[in-house]
Amino acid sequence: VQLQASGGGLVQAGGSLRLSCTASGSVSTIEDMGWYRRFPGKNRELVAAPSDDGTMRYENSVKGRFTASRDIAKNTLSLQMDSLKPEDTAVYYCGVRLSVAPYTLWGQGTLVTVSS
């Protein structure tokens, strides 16, 4: 499986960005897809990912502002980010859980910078 993320960039506070992640290759091995982010000097953290019941769960600080949606037919996962804040500035990663080794795979990351 290969992951290609796009849509990052520079935006002013209060603005919006939409990230997209497209999977290719052995997509039948993908069990679920999610978005994660890494702040400078920090570990990668969850932004949005499916819960066991299939609903999307969000990190508390993005609830009500970010919306993740998956198009299984197109093998894409999008992240609509509204009302962006400077503290959302991070590198955002698409991550997938696979049914086969290596079981977890990450995209290359896309930088989101929110200016105040």
Side-chain angles (χ1 to χ4, degrees):
V1 173
Q2 295 80 43
L3 301 173
Q4 181 66 47
S6 62
L10 173 64
V11 65
Q12 288 188 333
S16 299
L17 281 175
R18 185 177 181 86
L19 306 183
S20 292
C21 176
T22 300
S24 60
S26 300
V27 295
S28 62
T29 63
I30 296 175
E31 296 191 328
D32 57 50
M33 301 175 72
W35 285 102
Y36 301 79
R37 64 186 177 185
R38 176 176 284 162
F39 299 111
K42 303 288 188 179
N43 292 329
R44 192 156 31 204
E45 66 174 34
L46 169 79
V47 176
S51 300
D52 290 342
D53 63 1
T55 60
M56 197 65 68
R57 59 190 170 102
Y58 296 89
E59 195 272 328
N60 284 338
S61 70
V62 309
K63 287 181 181 177
R65 301 188 298 122
F66 291 11
T67 304
S69 57
R70 184 176 174 187
D71 186 329
I72 295 176
K74 295 183 179 180
N75 301 311
T76 61
L77 177 70
S78 300
L79 184 67
Q80 178 66 38
M81 304 185 294
D82 298 317
S83 302
L84 281 160
K85 304 175 181 180
E87 51 264 42
D88 294 317
T89 295
V91 178
Y92 285 71
Y93 296 88
C94 173
V96 297
R97 186 163 59 93
L98 305 173
S99 59
V100 298
Y103 299 108
T104 301
L105 195 65
W106 300 100
Q108 81 277 19
T110 183
L111 176 63
V112 171
T113 304
V114 185
S115 63
S116 57

